[in-house]
Amino acid sequence: PFDVLVVGGGPAGASAAVYAARKGIRTGLVAERFGGQVNDTLSIENIIGTTHTEGPRVVAGLEEHVKDYPVDIMNLQRATRIEKKDLVEVELENGAVLKSKTVILSTGARWRNVGVPGEAEFKNKGVAYCPHCDGPLFAGKDVAVIGGGNSGIEAAIDLAGIVKSVTVIEFNAELKADEVLQKRLFSLPNVTVVTNAQTKEITGTDKVNGLTYVERETGEERHIDVQGVFILIGLVPNTEWLGEEFERTRFGEIVVNKHGATSVPGVFAAGDCTDSAYKQIIISMGSGATAALGAFDYLIRN
Ligand code: FAD
């Protein structure tokens, strides 16, 4: 069996694997797609110490770093079941069952898509999901934010300080964000809020040039000119495959303590699949390190 089996090969998983392997213990890493969300990221400007880089370059670096240690990498394999017996068992889609003394879950998350024409086409060409990451790329431009919940309104407030104007598009009749955020939002001069609006299409040529929505009350179509569209209608953790024994938040995020331990002894978790307050590459890497050190501590005590 493995001493540490990491499930997930994004920044959290890669970091956990390196930290575990450096303890000289038997480490495996299984990932559906090594690199995770970073594969889909163009420009990255907030990995501290690296002023600018690109997703695929970071992924290549993660792979090189993990491969520098004797980590058993099983890429393109999806875990479908985990069960704690004497050892922790992880079953893969292909039927294989991996056994390990400890497991680190780092299966990340995915942004919920609006699923309208133009969204997939203009990803990284004006369609964005992370204001901390991509906000500065839209300095001085007009942008729309889809989603009036906390993450959407936080994004709108954040972006309003960088871009020329922000139009918030909310499907429901009212914003769902906390009162204090709404107050702050409505105090800003360059923000417009449109409620009861269903996004119909993100338009553009080689990059985004606008957004079309339907006024749900009248059924009428409206078009606004924007160079960026931020979609903030929810981040979904990849945790649906876990059993009831894993304590999760109402959003499905795995609850971890400060050592990265989950509610199941010997199973740790890190990165975007957990209830960490913020979801970023360096935060995932930090929590991956924490989970690996937590797992090592567990191993020497059990
Ligand atoms: P992920 O990167 O999501 O990796 C999850 C891993 O688990 C993948 O290998 C996946 O294939 C695997 N997996 C999932 N389910 C299973 C399963 N059942 N079995 C096996 N493997 C599984 N952050 C920044 O800090 N700066 C940025 O500029 C930035 N830009 C971004 C741009 C975009 C378009 C996106 C989508 C995100 C961006 N982020 C950015 C956020 C950042 O990518 C994430 O916070 C980070 O990748 C999370 O790392 P993670 O390892 O927790 O999860």
Side-chain angles (χ1 to χ4, degrees):
F2 293 107
D3 290 310
V4 173
L5 176 65
V6 180
V7 182
S15 167
V18 168
Y19 265 77
R22 284 172 60 77
K23 294 294 185 189
I25 55 183
R26 197 157 171 235
T27 305
L29 183 150
V30 50
E32 194 173 358
R33 182 178 173 226
F34 189 88
Q37 294 169 65
V38 183
N39 286 301
D40 307 322
T41 306
L42 217 54
S43 179
I44 305 177
E45 302 182 344
N46 54 9
I47 297 179
I48 306 310
T50 305
T51 46
H52 175 96
T53 183
E54 276 157 19
R57 266 178 69 186
V58 174
V59 173
L62 293 177
E63 191 170 1
E64 191 188 329
H65 203 164
V66 174
K67 284 187 168 160
D68 206 33
Y69 294 91
V71 175
D72 192 348
I73 301 178
M74 295 154 275
N75 195 11
L76 309 178
Q77 301 290 339
R78 199 161 75 95
T80 53
R81 188 180 61 85
I82 176 169
E83 197 176 332
K84 163 94 177 164
K85 296 186 178 164
D86 261 359
L87 296 167
V88 187
E89 294 187 2
V90 173
E91 187 173 334
L92 305 182
E93 205 163 35
N94 67 11
V97 176
L98 305 171
K99 295 183 181 178
S100 185
K101 292 178 188 159
T102 66
V103 166
I104 296 173
L105 300 169
S106 56
T107 49
R110 55 190 191 274
W111 297 99
R112 185 169 280 143
N113 294 327
V114 270
V116 297
E119 180 181 26
E121 194 183 339
F122 297 118
K123 210 169 252 184
N124 287 326
K125 294 174 190 157
V127 171
Y129 296 84
C130 173
H132 315 301
C133 315
D134 298 338
L137 308 176
F138 295 91
K141 297 184 175 164
D142 298 306
V143 303
V145 170
I146 301 178
N150 279 338
S151 61
I153 300 312
E154 280 165 15
I157 294 168
D158 176 358
L159 291 166
I162 303 170
V163 304
K164 188 162 140 222
S165 79
V166 181
T167 305
V168 175
I169 307 283
E170 164 60 45
F171 182 83
N172 290 306
E174 275 164 38
L175 299 180
K176 275 201 230 83
D178 296 342
E179 205 50 51
V180 42
L181 289 175
Q182 292 197 35
K183 236 187 197 154
R184 174 97 187 93
L185 182 80
F186 285 113
S187 76
L188 300 171
N190 58 342
V191 175
T192 309
V193 175
V194 184
T195 54
N196 244 333
Q198 176 164 20
T199 304
K200 193 169 171 223
E201 185 179 358
I202 297 166
T203 60
T205 47
D206 53 330
K207 26 183 208 209
V208 168
N209 65 16
L211 179 149
T212 307
Y213 64 89
V214 176
E215 272 184 359
R216 292 175 61 219
E217 208 142 280
T218 60
E220 262 177 63
E221 236 174 78
R222 304 256 177 234
H223 184 84
I224 52 171
D225 292 331
V226 291
Q227 290 84 56
V229 177
F230 282 80
I231 300 173
L232 287 140
I233 53 173
L235 187 68
V236 190
N238 300 316
T239 58
E240 297 91 345
W241 60 287
L242 303 175
E244 289 293 310
E245 65 277 22
F246 286 92
E247 188 189 347
R248 273 162 284 174
T249 67
R250 64 192 171 97
F251 306 111
E253 300 165 327
I254 305 165
V255 176
V256 292
N257 69 13
K258 65 180 178 184
H259 299 275
T262 70
S263 54
V264 176
V267 182
F268 295 75
D272 282 13
C273 65
T274 71
D275 62 345
S276 68
Y278 304 101
K279 318 291 189 207
Q280 291 282 282
I281 293 167
I282 60 168
I283 292 170
S284 298
M285 287 181 173
S287 68
T290 298
L293 297 175
F296 183 69
D297 252 354
Y298 176 91
L299 285 168
I300 58 179
R301 284 177 163 75
N302 288 273

Coordinates of all heavy atoms in Angstrom, one line a residue, residues 6-15 29-47 53 62 74-81 90-92 105-111 123-124 127-130 132-134 235 238-241 270-274 278-285 287, ligand 1:
V6 N -2.5 10.7 -3.1 CA -3.1 12.0 -3.4 C -4.1 11.8 -4.5 O -3.7 11.2 -5.5 CB -2.0 13.0 -3.8 CG1 -2.6 14.4 -4.1 CG2 -0.9 13.2 -2.7
V7 N -5.3 12.3 -4.3 CA -6.3 12.2 -5.4 C -6.5 13.6 -5.9 O -7.1 14.5 -5.2 CB -7.6 11.6 -4.8 CG1 -8.6 11.5 -6.0 CG2 -7.4 10.3 -4.2
G8 N -6.0 13.9 -7.1 CA -6.1 15.2 -7.7 C -4.7 15.7 -8.0 O -3.8 15.6 -7.2
G9 N -4.6 16.3 -9.2 CA -3.2 16.7 -9.7 C -3.1 18.1 -10.0 O -2.4 18.5 -10.9
G10 N -3.9 19.0 -9.3 CA -3.8 20.4 -9.5 C -2.6 21.0 -8.6 O -1.8 20.2 -8.1
P11 N -2.6 22.3 -8.4 CA -1.5 22.8 -7.5 C -1.6 22.2 -6.1 O -0.5 22.0 -5.5 CB -1.9 24.3 -7.5 CG -2.8 24.6 -8.6 CD -3.4 23.3 -9.0
A12 N -2.8 21.9 -5.6 CA -2.9 21.4 -4.2 C -2.3 20.0 -4.2 O -1.5 19.6 -3.3 CB -4.3 21.4 -3.8
G13 N -2.7 19.1 -5.2 CA -2.2 17.8 -5.2 C -0.7 17.7 -5.5 O 0.0 16.9 -4.9
A14 N -0.2 18.5 -6.4 CA 1.2 18.5 -6.7 C 2.0 18.9 -5.5 O 3.0 18.2 -5.2 CB 1.5 19.4 -7.9
S15 N 1.6 19.9 -4.8 CA 2.3 20.4 -3.6 C 2.3 19.3 -2.6 O 3.3 19.0 -1.9 CB 1.6 21.6 -3.1 OG 2.0 22.0 -1.9
L29 N 0.0 9.5 -6.8 CA -0.9 10.6 -7.1 C -1.8 10.1 -8.3 O -1.3 9.7 -9.3 CB -0.1 11.8 -7.5 CG -0.9 13.1 -7.9 CD1 -0.1 14.3 -7.5 CD2 -1.2 13.1 -9.4
V30 N -3.1 10.2 -8.1 CA -4.0 9.8 -9.2 C -4.8 11.1 -9.6 O -5.2 11.8 -8.7 CB -4.9 8.6 -8.7 CG1 -5.6 8.9 -7.4 CG2 -5.9 8.3 -9.8
A31 N -4.8 11.3 -10.9 CA -5.5 12.5 -11.3 C -6.3 12.3 -12.6 O -5.8 11.6 -13.5 CB -4.5 13.7 -11.5
E32 N -7.4 12.9 -12.7 CA -8.2 12.8 -13.9 C -7.5 13.6 -15.0 O -7.4 13.1 -16.2 CB -9.6 13.4 -13.7 CG -10.6 13.0 -14.7 CD -12.0 13.5 -14.4 OE1 -12.2 14.0 -13.3 OE2 -12.9 13.3 -15.2
R33 N -7.0 14.7 -14.6 CA -6.3 15.6 -15.6 C -5.2 16.4 -14.8 O -5.5 17.3 -14.2 CB -7.3 16.5 -16.2 CG -6.7 17.4 -17.3 CD -7.9 18.3 -17.8 NE -7.5 19.3 -18.7 CZ -7.9 20.6 -18.6 NH1 -8.8 20.9 -17.7 NH2 -7.5 21.5 -19.5
F34 N -3.9 15.9 -14.9 CA -2.9 16.6 -14.2 C -2.8 18.0 -14.5 O -2.9 18.4 -15.7 CB -1.5 15.9 -14.5 CG -0.4 16.4 -13.6 CD1 -0.2 15.8 -12.4 CD2 0.3 17.5 -13.9 CE1 0.8 16.2 -11.5 CE2 1.3 18.0 -13.0 CZ 1.5 17.4 -11.8
G35 N -2.7 18.9 -13.5 CA -2.6 20.3 -13.7 C -3.9 21.0 -13.4 O -3.9 22.2 -13.0
G36 N -5.0 20.3 -13.5 CA -6.3 20.9 -13.0 C -6.7 22.1 -13.7 O -6.5 22.3 -14.9
Q37 N -7.3 23.0 -13.0 CA -7.8 24.3 -13.6 C -6.7 25.1 -14.2 O -7.0 26.0 -15.1 CB -8.5 25.2 -12.5 CG -9.7 24.6 -11.9 CD -10.2 25.4 -10.7 OE1 -10.5 26.5 -10.8 NE2 -10.2 24.7 -9.5
V38 N -5.5 24.9 -13.8 CA -4.4 25.7 -14.3 C -4.2 25.5 -15.8 O -3.7 26.4 -16.5 CB -3.1 25.5 -13.5 CG1 -1.9 26.4 -13.9 CG2 -3.3 25.7 -12.0
N39 N -4.5 24.3 -16.2 CA -4.5 24.0 -17.7 C -5.3 25.1 -18.5 O -5.0 25.3 -19.6 CB -5.1 22.7 -18.0 CG -4.2 21.5 -17.6 OD1 -3.0 21.5 -18.0 ND2 -4.6 20.7 -16.7
D40 N -6.4 25.6 -17.9 CA -7.3 26.4 -18.6 C -7.0 27.9 -18.4 O -7.8 28.8 -18.8 CB -8.7 26.2 -18.1 CG -9.1 24.7 -18.3 OD1 -8.6 24.1 -19.2 OD2 -9.7 24.2 -17.4
T41 N -5.9 28.2 -17.8 CA -5.6 29.6 -17.4 C -4.5 30.1 -18.4 O -3.5 29.5 -18.6 CB -5.1 29.7 -16.0 OG1 -6.0 29.1 -15.1 CG2 -4.9 31.1 -15.5
L42 N -4.8 31.3 -18.9 CA -3.8 31.9 -19.8 C -2.7 32.6 -19.0 O -1.7 32.1 -18.8 CB -4.5 32.8 -20.8 CG -4.0 32.8 -22.2 CD1 -4.0 31.4 -22.8 CD2 -4.8 33.7 -23.1
S43 N -3.1 33.8 -18.6 CA -2.1 34.7 -17.9 C -2.2 34.5 -16.4 O -3.3 34.6 -15.8 CB -2.4 36.1 -18.4 OG -1.5 36.9 -17.8
I44 N -1.1 34.3 -15.7 CA -1.1 34.2 -14.3 C -0.1 35.2 -13.7 O 1.1 35.2 -14.1 CB -0.8 32.8 -13.7 CG1 -1.7 31.8 -14.4 CG2 -0.9 32.8 -12.2 CD1 -1.4 30.4 -14.0
E45 N -0.6 36.2 -12.9 CA 0.3 37.2 -12.4 C 0.3 37.3 -10.9 O 0.8 38.3 -10.3 CB -0.3 38.6 -13.0 CG -0.3 38.6 -14.5 CD -0.8 39.9 -15.1 OE1 -1.4 40.7 -14.4 OE2 -0.5 40.0 -16.3
N46 N -0.2 36.3 -10.2 CA -0.3 36.3 -8.7 C 0.3 35.1 -8.1 O 0.0 34.8 -6.9 CB -1.7 36.6 -8.3 CG -2.7 35.6 -8.8 OD1 -2.3 34.6 -9.4 ND2 -4.0 35.9 -8.6
I47 N 1.3 34.4 -8.7 CA 2.1 33.5 -8.0 C 3.3 34.3 -7.6 O 4.1 34.7 -8.4 CB 2.5 32.3 -9.0 CG1 1.2 31.5 -9.4 CG2 3.5 31.3 -8.2 CD1 1.5 30.4 -10.4
T53 N 3.3 34.6 -15.7 CA 3.5 33.3 -16.4 C 2.2 32.8 -17.0 O 1.2 33.6 -17.0 CB 4.1 32.3 -15.4 OG1 4.3 31.0 -16.1 CG2 3.1 32.0 -14.2
L62 N 4.9 22.0 -12.4 CA 4.3 21.2 -11.4 C 4.7 19.7 -11.7 O 5.2 19.0 -10.8 CB 2.8 21.2 -11.3 CG 2.2 22.6 -10.9 CD1 0.7 22.5 -11.0 CD2 2.6 22.9 -9.5
M74 N -0.5 8.4 -11.5 CA -1.5 7.7 -12.4 C -2.4 8.8 -13.0 O -3.4 9.3 -12.3 CB -2.3 6.8 -11.5 CG -1.4 5.6 -11.0 SD -2.1 4.9 -9.4 CE -1.4 6.0 -8.2
N75 N -2.0 9.3 -14.2 CA -2.8 10.4 -14.8 C -3.9 9.8 -15.6 O -3.9 8.7 -16.0 CB -1.9 11.2 -15.6 CG -2.5 12.6 -16.0 OD1 -3.6 13.0 -15.5 ND2 -1.9 13.3 -16.9
L76 N -4.9 10.7 -15.9 CA -6.1 10.3 -16.7 C -6.9 9.1 -16.0 O -7.4 8.2 -16.7 CB -5.7 9.9 -18.1 CG -4.8 10.9 -18.9 CD1 -4.4 10.4 -20.2 CD2 -5.5 12.3 -18.9
Q77 N -6.9 9.2 -14.7 CA -7.7 8.2 -13.9 C -8.6 8.9 -13.0 O -8.2 9.8 -12.2 CB -6.8 7.3 -13.1 CG -5.7 6.5 -13.9 CD -6.3 5.4 -14.7 OE1 -7.4 4.9 -14.5 NE2 -5.6 5.0 -15.8
R78 N -9.9 8.5 -13.0 CA -10.8 9.2 -12.1 C -11.2 8.3 -10.9 O -11.5 7.1 -11.1 CB -12.1 9.6 -12.9 CG -12.9 10.6 -12.2 CD -13.9 11.2 -13.2 NE -15.0 10.3 -13.5 CZ -16.1 10.4 -12.9 NH1 -16.4 11.3 -12.0 NH2 -17.1 9.6 -13.2
A79 N -11.1 8.9 -9.7 CA -11.6 8.1 -8.5 C -13.1 8.2 -8.4 O -13.7 9.3 -8.7 CB -10.9 8.8 -7.3
T80 N -13.7 7.1 -8.1 CA -15.2 7.1 -8.0 C -15.7 6.7 -6.6 O -16.9 6.9 -6.4 CB -15.8 6.1 -9.0 OG1 -15.1 4.8 -8.8 CG2 -15.5 6.5 -10.5
R81 N -14.8 6.2 -5.8 CA -15.3 5.8 -4.4 C -14.1 5.8 -3.5 O -13.0 5.5 -3.9 CB -15.8 4.3 -4.6 CG -16.6 3.8 -3.3 CD -17.1 2.4 -3.5 NE -16.0 1.5 -3.8 CZ -15.3 0.8 -2.9 NH1 -15.5 1.1 -1.6 NH2 -14.3 0.0 -3.2
V90 N -9.3 3.5 -2.4 CA -9.8 4.4 -3.4 C -10.0 3.6 -4.7 O -9.1 3.0 -5.2 CB -8.8 5.5 -3.7 CG1 -9.3 6.4 -4.9 CG2 -8.6 6.4 -2.4
E91 N -11.3 3.6 -5.2 CA -11.6 2.8 -6.4 C -11.6 3.8 -7.6 O -12.1 4.9 -7.5 CB -13.0 2.2 -6.3 CG -13.3 1.2 -7.4 CD -14.6 0.5 -7.2 OE1 -15.0 0.2 -6.1 OE2 -15.2 0.1 -8.3
L92 N -11.0 3.3 -8.7 CA -11.0 4.1 -9.9 C -12.1 3.7 -10.8 O -12.6 2.6 -10.7 CB -9.6 4.0 -10.6 CG -8.4 4.3 -9.7 CD1 -7.1 4.2 -10.5 CD2 -8.5 5.7 -9.1
L105 N -7.3 14.3 -0.4 CA -8.2 14.7 -1.4 C -7.9 16.1 -1.9 O -7.9 17.0 -1.1 CB -9.7 14.6 -0.9 CG -10.1 13.3 -0.3 CD1 -11.4 13.4 0.4 CD2 -10.2 12.2 -1.5
S106 N -7.7 16.2 -3.2 CA -7.4 17.5 -3.8 C -8.0 17.6 -5.2 O -7.3 17.9 -6.1 CB -5.9 17.8 -3.8 OG -5.2 16.8 -4.5
T107 N -9.3 17.3 -5.2 CA -10.0 17.2 -6.5 C -10.5 18.5 -7.0 O -11.2 18.6 -8.1 CB -11.2 16.2 -6.4 OG1 -11.9 16.6 -5.2 CG2 -10.7 14.8 -6.2
G108 N -10.2 19.6 -6.3 CA -10.5 21.0 -6.9 C -12.0 21.3 -7.1 O -12.9 20.7 -6.4
A109 N -12.2 22.2 -8.0 CA -13.6 22.7 -8.2 C -13.7 23.1 -9.6 O -12.8 23.1 -10.4 CB -13.8 23.9 -7.3
R110 N -14.9 23.4 -10.0 CA -15.2 23.9 -11.4 C -16.1 25.1 -11.3 O -17.1 25.1 -10.4 CB -15.8 22.8 -12.3 CG -17.0 22.1 -11.7 CD -17.4 20.9 -12.5 NE -18.7 20.5 -12.0 CZ -19.0 19.7 -11.0 NH1 -18.0 19.2 -10.3 NH2 -20.2 19.4 -10.7
W111 N -15.9 26.1 -12.1 CA -16.9 27.2 -12.1 C -18.1 26.8 -12.8 O -18.1 26.1 -13.8 CB -16.3 28.4 -12.9 CG -15.0 28.9 -12.3 CD1 -13.7 28.6 -12.7 CD2 -14.9 29.8 -11.2 NE1 -12.8 29.2 -11.9 CE2 -13.5 30.0 -11.0 CE3 -15.8 30.4 -10.4 CZ2 -13.0 30.8 -9.9 CZ3 -15.3 31.2 -9.4 CH2 -14.0 31.4 -9.2
K123 N -13.8 32.1 -23.8 CA -13.1 31.9 -22.6 C -11.6 32.4 -22.8 O -11.0 32.1 -23.8 CB -13.1 30.4 -22.3 CG -13.0 30.1 -20.8 CD -13.3 28.6 -20.6 CE -14.7 28.4 -19.9 NZ -14.9 27.0 -19.6
N124 N -11.1 33.1 -21.8 CA -9.8 33.7 -21.9 C -9.7 34.8 -23.1 O -8.6 35.3 -23.3 CB -8.7 32.7 -22.2 CG -8.4 31.9 -20.9 OD1 -8.5 32.4 -19.8 ND2 -8.1 30.6 -21.1
V127 N -14.1 36.4 -21.6 CA -14.9 35.7 -20.6 C -14.0 35.3 -19.5 O -13.0 34.6 -19.8 CB -15.7 34.5 -21.2 CG1 -16.3 33.7 -20.1 CG2 -16.7 35.0 -22.2
A128 N -14.3 35.6 -18.3 CA -13.5 35.3 -17.1 C -14.3 34.9 -16.0 O -15.5 35.1 -15.9 CB -12.6 36.6 -16.8
Y129 N -13.6 34.2 -15.0 CA -14.4 33.7 -13.9 C -13.8 34.2 -12.5 O -14.4 34.0 -11.5 CB -14.4 32.2 -13.9 CG -15.1 31.6 -15.1 CD1 -14.5 31.5 -16.3 CD2 -16.4 31.2 -15.0 CE1 -15.1 31.0 -17.4 CE2 -17.1 30.8 -16.1 CZ -16.5 30.6 -17.3 OH -17.1 30.2 -18.4
C130 N -12.6 34.8 -12.6 CA -11.9 35.1 -11.4 C -11.4 36.6 -11.4 O -10.4 36.9 -12.1 CB -10.7 34.2 -11.2 SG -9.6 34.6 -9.8
H132 N -9.9 38.3 -9.0 CA -8.5 38.4 -8.5 C -7.5 38.1 -9.5 O -6.4 38.7 -9.5 CB -8.2 37.5 -7.3 CG -9.3 37.4 -6.3 ND1 -9.8 38.5 -5.6 CD2 -10.1 36.3 -5.9 CE1 -10.8 38.1 -4.9 NE2 -11.0 36.8 -5.0
C133 N -7.8 37.2 -10.4 CA -6.8 36.8 -11.4 C -6.8 37.7 -12.6 O -5.8 38.2 -13.1 CB -7.2 35.4 -11.9 SG -7.6 34.2 -10.6
D134 N -8.0 38.0 -13.2 CA -8.1 38.6 -14.5 C -8.6 40.1 -14.4 O -8.5 40.8 -15.5 CB -9.0 37.8 -15.4 CG -8.5 36.4 -15.6 OD1 -7.3 36.2 -15.5 OD2 -9.3 35.5 -16.0
L235 N -19.0 28.3 -7.6 CA -17.9 27.4 -7.8 C -18.3 26.1 -7.2 O -18.7 26.0 -6.0 CB -16.7 28.0 -7.0 CG -15.3 27.3 -7.2 CD1 -14.8 27.5 -8.6 CD2 -14.3 27.9 -6.2
N238 N -15.5 19.4 -6.6 CA -15.6 18.1 -7.2 C -15.6 17.0 -6.0 O -14.6 16.3 -5.9 CB -14.4 17.8 -8.1 CG -14.4 18.8 -9.3 OD1 -15.5 19.1 -9.9 ND2 -13.2 19.3 -9.6
T239 N -16.7 17.0 -5.3 CA -16.8 16.2 -4.1 C -18.0 15.3 -4.1 O -18.3 14.6 -3.1 CB -16.8 17.0 -2.8 OG1 -17.9 17.9 -2.9 CG2 -15.5 17.8 -2.7
E240 N -18.7 15.2 -5.2 CA -20.0 14.5 -5.3 C -19.8 13.0 -5.1 O -20.7 12.3 -4.7 CB -20.7 14.7 -6.7 CG -21.1 16.1 -7.0 CD -20.0 16.9 -7.7 OE1 -18.9 16.4 -7.8 OE2 -20.4 17.9 -8.3
W241 N -18.6 12.5 -5.3 CA -18.3 11.1 -5.3 C -18.0 10.6 -3.8 O -17.9 9.4 -3.6 CB -17.2 10.7 -6.2 CG -15.9 11.4 -5.9 CD1 -15.6 12.8 -6.1 CD2 -14.7 10.9 -5.3 NE1 -14.3 13.1 -5.6 CE2 -13.8 11.9 -5.1 CE3 -14.4 9.6 -4.9 CZ2 -12.5 11.7 -4.6 CZ3 -13.1 9.4 -4.3 CH2 -12.2 10.4 -4.2
A270 N -7.2 19.3 0.6 CA -6.5 20.5 0.3 C -7.0 21.2 -0.9 O -7.6 20.5 -1.8 CB -5.0 20.3 0.2
G271 N -6.9 22.5 -1.0 CA -7.2 23.2 -2.2 C -8.7 23.6 -2.4 O -9.4 23.7 -1.4
D272 N -9.1 23.8 -3.6 CA -10.4 24.3 -3.9 C -11.6 23.4 -3.5 O -12.7 23.8 -3.5 CB -10.6 24.6 -5.4 CG -9.9 25.9 -5.8 OD1 -9.1 26.4 -5.0 OD2 -10.1 26.3 -7.0
C273 N -11.3 22.1 -3.2 CA -12.4 21.2 -2.9 C -12.7 21.3 -1.4 O -13.6 20.7 -0.9 CB -12.0 19.7 -3.2 SG -10.6 19.0 -2.3
T274 N -12.0 22.1 -0.6 CA -12.2 22.3 0.8 C -12.9 23.6 1.1 O -13.2 24.4 0.2 CB -10.9 22.3 1.6 OG1 -10.2 23.5 1.3 CG2 -9.9 21.1 1.2
Y278 N -10.6 31.2 0.6 CA -10.4 31.8 -0.8 C -9.8 30.7 -1.6 O -9.1 29.7 -1.1 CB -9.4 33.0 -0.7 CG -10.0 34.0 0.2 CD1 -9.5 34.2 1.5 CD2 -11.0 34.9 -0.2 CE1 -10.0 35.1 2.4 CE2 -11.5 35.8 0.6 CZ -11.0 35.9 1.9 OH -11.6 36.9 2.8
K279 N -10.0 30.8 -2.9 CA -9.5 29.7 -3.9 C -8.6 30.3 -4.9 O -9.0 31.0 -5.8 CB -10.7 29.1 -4.6 CG -12.0 28.9 -3.8 CD -11.9 27.8 -2.8 CE -13.2 27.5 -2.2 NZ -13.2 26.9 -0.8
Q280 N -7.3 30.0 -4.6 CA -6.2 30.6 -5.5 C -5.1 29.5 -5.6 O -5.0 28.6 -4.7 CB -5.7 31.9 -4.9 CG -6.7 33.0 -4.9 CD -6.8 33.6 -6.3 OE1 -5.9 34.4 -6.7 NE2 -7.8 33.3 -7.1
I281 N -4.2 29.7 -6.6 CA -3.2 28.8 -6.7 C -2.2 28.7 -5.5 O -2.0 27.6 -5.0 CB -2.3 29.1 -8.0 CG1 -3.2 28.9 -9.2 CG2 -1.1 28.3 -8.1 CD1 -2.6 29.5 -10.5
I282 N -1.8 29.9 -5.1 CA -0.8 29.8 -3.9 C -1.5 29.3 -2.7 O -0.9 28.6 -1.8 CB -0.1 31.1 -3.7 CG1 -1.0 32.3 -3.4 CG2 0.8 31.5 -4.8 CD1 -0.3 33.5 -2.8
I283 N -2.8 29.6 -2.5 CA -3.5 29.1 -1.4 C -3.6 27.5 -1.4 O -3.4 26.8 -0.4 CB -4.9 29.8 -1.3 CG1 -4.7 31.3 -0.9 CG2 -5.8 29.1 -0.2 CD1 -5.9 32.1 -1.0
S284 N -3.9 27.0 -2.6 CA -4.0 25.6 -2.8 C -2.7 24.9 -2.6 O -2.6 23.8 -1.9 CB -4.4 25.3 -4.3 OG -5.7 25.8 -4.5
M285 N -1.6 25.5 -3.0 CA -0.3 24.9 -2.8 C 0.0 24.9 -1.3 O 0.5 23.9 -0.8 CB 0.8 25.8 -3.5 CG 0.8 25.6 -5.0 SD 2.1 26.5 -5.7 CE 2.0 26.0 -7.4
S287 N -2.2 24.8 1.2 CA -3.0 23.8 1.9 C -2.5 22.4 1.5 O -2.7 21.5 2.3 CB -4.5 24.1 1.7 OG -4.8 23.8 0.4
Ligands
FAD1 P1 -7.7 22.0 -9.4 O1 -6.8 22.9 -10.1 O2 -9.2 22.1 -9.7 O3 -7.3 20.5 -9.7 C1 -8.1 19.4 -9.3 C2 -7.4 18.1 -9.7 O4 -8.2 17.0 -9.3 C3 -7.3 17.9 -11.3 O5 -6.1 17.2 -11.5 C4 -8.5 17.1 -11.6 O6 -8.4 16.4 -12.8 C5 -8.5 16.2 -10.4 N1 -9.8 15.5 -10.1 C6 -11.0 16.0 -9.9 N2 -11.9 15.0 -9.6 C7 -11.2 13.9 -9.6 C8 -11.5 12.5 -9.3 N3 -12.7 12.1 -9.0 N4 -10.5 11.6 -9.4 C9 -9.3 11.9 -9.8 N5 -8.9 13.2 -10.0 C10 -9.8 14.2 -9.9 N6 -5.7 31.2 -9.4 C11 -4.7 32.0 -9.2 O7 -4.1 32.0 -8.2 N7 -4.3 32.9 -10.2 C12 -4.9 33.0 -11.4 O8 -4.5 33.8 -12.3 C13 -6.0 32.1 -11.7 N8 -6.7 32.1 -12.8 C14 -7.7 31.2 -13.1 C15 -8.3 31.2 -14.3 C16 -9.3 30.2 -14.6 C17 -9.9 30.2 -16.0 C18 -9.6 29.3 -13.6 C19 -10.7 28.3 -13.9 C20 -9.1 29.3 -12.4 C21 -8.1 30.3 -12.1 N9 -7.4 30.3 -10.8 C22 -6.4 31.2 -10.6 C23 -7.9 29.4 -9.7 C24 -6.9 28.3 -9.6 O9 -6.7 27.7 -10.8 C25 -7.4 27.3 -8.5 O10 -7.5 27.9 -7.3 C26 -6.4 26.1 -8.4 O11 -6.2 25.5 -9.6 C27 -7.0 25.1 -7.4 O12 -6.1 24.0 -7.3 P2 -6.6 22.6 -6.8 O13 -5.4 21.8 -6.9 O14 -7.3 22.7 -5.5 O15 -7.7 22.1 -7.8

